[in-house]
Amino acid sequence: MRIRPATPAELPALQDIERAAGTPFRDLGMPEIADDEPPALDVLEHYRRAGRCWVASGPQDRPVAYLLAEPVDGALHIEQVSVHPRAARRGVGRALLAHAADRAREEGLTSLTLTTFTDVPWNAPYYERLGFRPLPEEELTPGLRAIRATEAAHGLDRWPRVCMRAPL
């Protein structure tokens, strides 16, 4: 497995990874998440051009997972990390997060942040095992508050969510 920047030609494949990664949510009674459309190509291109869209590539150097990130209030915020189910449980997501942490350190950022579902085993419990800790409401930065408001507007608050931070 290799972590590298995504190429423009790979962006449709990232959408396919996102769709496949969403499928297990159906088994948790979250069909809306399973059926949610992946980021649009122009959104993926925005992250790619900013140098914040990385893929984990497998055989034949084809992407099996991806991560999108952006700086938010002195931290590198993980906007999305998705692993194709065929590549799950092999440390691919962990490798992407480690790569993002290395890039954040190089830029002088102090932590990684993310928002996620609290009750999904491969979400908050997984991130806690990797060193992320839930942030109480009073510790949310203005940028994280804005992200949470956007998520709520998209209906993600139907299920419990949390902001998390991992210091670097």
Side-chain angles (χ1 to χ4, degrees):
M1 175 185 57
R2 183 170 81 118
I3 308 293
R4 60 174 175 72
T7 68
E10 291 172 329
L11 300 181
L14 303 189
Q15 291 178 313
D16 293 340
I17 290 168
E18 181 71 20
R19 286 183 189 100
T23 301
F25 284 92
R26 191 172 312 286
D27 295 336
L28 296 178
M30 300 169 76
E32 297 87 349
I33 302 303
D35 296 336
D36 194 35
E37 280 300 306
L41 291 175
D42 63 326
V43 171
L44 294 170
E45 177 62 9
H46 165 79
Y47 284 98
R48 191 196 69 75
R49 282 185 184 236
R52 302 194 190 289
C53 177
W54 299 291
V55 299
S57 59
Q60 293 89 40
D61 201 34
R62 291 190 180 133
V64 297
Y66 75 97
L67 184 147
L68 305 175
E70 64 182 338
V72 174
D73 300 333
L76 185 63
H77 184 74
I78 307 302
E79 178 60 32
Q80 184 67 39
V81 58
S82 293
V83 178
H84 195 287
R86 289 190 306 253
R89 304 178 83 62
R90 297 183 190 156
V92 176
R94 180 179 315 211
L96 280 165
L97 288 164
H99 182 83
D102 289 344
R103 300 295 77 74
R105 279 187 204 94
E106 289 172 5
E107 295 180 28
L109 300 172
T110 61
S111 60
L112 296 180
T113 60
L114 55 81
T115 60
T116 193
F117 295 110
T118 59
D119 299 333
V120 174
W122 59 89
N123 280 193
Y126 170 75
Y127 294 120
E128 284 192 73
R129 290 192 301 273
L130 297 181
F132 285 83
R133 294 290 166 248
L135 288 174
E137 186 71 26
E138 62 273 9
E139 290 183 30
L140 297 184
T141 65
L144 289 175
R145 288 181 193 282
I147 289 167
R148 286 292 292 121
T150 299
E151 291 176 348
H154 285 118
L156 293 180
D157 281 1
R158 270 190 67 196
W159 305 276
R161 289 186 65 76
V162 65
C163 288
M164 303 181 85
R165 173 181 288 132
L168 298 176

